[in-house]
Each structure stands twice: as C-alpha cells, then as structure tokens.
Amino acid sequence: MRFLLPTLGIAAAATALSPATTSSSKGFYLIAHVTDPSRDFSPSIEGWALTAIHTGAGLNAAVLASASAGRLFYENGTAAQVAATQSTILTDAGTPPFPMGLYVQGEGEPPKILEINVGAGTPNTIVGREADVLVNGLDANGLGRGTYMACNATVPYYGVEYITLQYAYGKVSDGCAPIELRPRCATLNDLPADSLSSHEFAVVVPCYE
Ligand SMILES: *[C@@H]1O[C@H](CO)[C@@H](O)[C@H](O)[C@H]1NC(C)=O
Ligand SMILES: *[C@@H]1O[C@H](CO)[C@@H](O)[C@H](O)[C@H]1NC(C)=O
C-alpha cells in the first residue's frame, strides 16, 4: 500500500490536468499542435488536420487544413518493426483502395514539402507519452530525430500557398511553426475484397478521443 499511494496521487493529478482522454485505435487522424505559440500563424493552425492534395499520378503534397477532417491514417508494421521504429504511416486512396505512405526526406537533406505518395512511406512511429497526458505525435526517428513544421509555402503544381507539412532535422526554418502531429482516434474502415491495401499489420496506437 505504501508504494501504491504515490502512484494513485500522480494518476489523479494527471487526470485533472489532461485536456483529452487517451485511448487506442488502429485508425487515426493527425492533428497539428503548435509547440511554440509565438511562432503560430494568424489565424492559428492549432487543431488543423493533415491531408493530401493531388500533385500528380499517385503523388500528393502533405498539407494542413482547417476545414477538413483530414485523411484517415494507420501505422503499418509487425510488432518487431514497431519496436525498431521501422513501421510506416499509411492512408488508403482510390477504388479499389491502394496504400499511400508519408515520406520524410533523409537526414542531412534540407526541409521540403513532405509527400504522401503511393508506396510504404518512410519509417515513422506513433509514440505515446508516459502518464496519460496527450499522446505525442509522429516521431520520424526511423530516419533521425527532428521536428515537424508547418510552413506557408507555394505548392508548385497549383502555384498557390498552402500550410505545408515539413520536417527539419536541425533548427526549425524561419517562418515555420514547430508542431507535433497528434493522433485523434478514428475507426479504421474495413476493406473490399479487391483491395490492394491491407490492414492486417495495422498497429493499435495510443491516440486521443
Ligand atoms: C505493411 O507491413 C507488412 C509487414 O511488414 C508488409 O509486409 C507490407 O508490405 C506493409 N505494407 C506497405 C504498404 O508497406
Ligand atoms: C501564406 O502566405 C500568403 C502569401 O504571403 C498569404 O497571402 C497567406 O495569408 C498566408 N497564409 C497564412 C495562413 O498565413
């Protein structure tokens, strides 16, 4: 009992502070949380959802949108791949559905507008925080530690500015807001028999309700 009491105290305190309930799910939306409000945009991009805009056959720019629920994502990999942070983040597109992955540039390469393209994507793992406070976002540590950023940039295919998703291994770029992408729990849909996607290796991840 002596050892239990402090634990219970911490749990109660964490519950009181927690702005959202932590749960788990195979499906999730990725929601931007600005970690340095002094670098936020006006209007704020807090709570904007990650989505994909078409830039060519099987190619998309990763952008944040206010008026969209965002794309439904899932983390794909075996337990061993998750443990080695070699799972990837997928979303299904098309009829019949096929998988598209989130691609982060390699360590040592400069930031650019990230892509959500046909294929597996680059290693990415949803990491839960200790305690039950909010769930931490994506962690591209399969490639190297860094920071997701929201950057107002022109998507060449349209010649129009979007709040694009980028990733810096070093300093956050000028004019960009450092963000975490937090998974909001969602139901991962069933797939039709002719699907090219598979949810067999969809990982149950910590997410918020
Ligand atoms: C999902 O993970 C499984 C297990 O590693 C793998 O066989 C499959 O190719 C992955 N799917 C994609 C689209 O990368
Ligand atoms: C992005 O930049 C363009 C051009 O400077 C500007 O018109 C637009 O308002 C900016 N968007 C945001 C959300 O700040």
Side-chain angles (χ1 to χ4, degrees):
M1 275 317 280
R2 219 174 344 139
F3 299 103
L4 263 178
L5 286 172
T7 313
L8 289 172
I10 290 164
T15 303
L17 288 171
S18 176
T21 312
T22 300
S23 185
S24 61
S25 173
K26 286 184 176 175
F28 51 87
Y29 297 103
L30 286 170
I31 307 300
H33 167 64
V34 180
T35 56
D36 179 354
S38 75
R39 301 184 68 162
D40 197 357
F41 292 87
S42 179
S44 172
I45 58 145
E46 179 74 25
W48 287 26
L50 179 60
T51 190
I53 55 167
H54 175 91
T55 55
L59 305 176
N60 297 274
V63 303
L64 296 167
S66 59
S68 160
R71 290 201 68 87
L72 179 63
F73 291 95
Y74 56 100
E75 181 175 318
N76 184 70
T78 61
Q81 286 174 314
V82 172
T85 63
Q86 293 299 308
S87 55
T88 69
I89 301 298
L90 301 180
T91 183
D92 299 328
T95 311
F98 58 87
M100 300 196 301
L102 174 63
Y103 288 83
V104 177
Q105 84 278 8
E107 197 163 10
E109 293 171 35
K112 59 167 195 159
I113 300 172
L114 298 183
E115 291 167 17
I116 296 175
N117 297 340
V118 172
T122 51
N124 241 321
T125 307
I126 302 286
V127 180
R129 286 223 178 99
E130 290 177 26
D132 74 336
V133 196
L134 273 174
V135 175
N136 198 356
L138 284 183
D139 194 357
N141 60 7
L143 292 178
R145 291 230 159 247
T147 311
Y148 279 101
M149 308 185 287
C151 307
N152 190 351
T154 303
V155 175
Y157 186 82
Y158 298 101
V160 170
E161 286 92 6
Y162 284 88
I163 300 298
T164 63
L165 180 66
Q166 304 198 17
Y167 191 83
Y169 288 100
K171 182 176 157 292
V172 171
S173 308
D174 289 344
C176 297
I179 59 169
E180 284 176 354
L181 288 170
R182 293 177 166 177
R184 178 191 291 156
C185 307
T187 303
L188 187 61
N189 56 292
D190 292 330
L191 292 167
D194 62 351
S195 175
L196 302 169
S197 297
S198 164
H199 292 166
E200 184 184 349
F201 294 99
V203 179
V204 176
V205 301
C207 53
Y208 72 93
E209 296 287 1

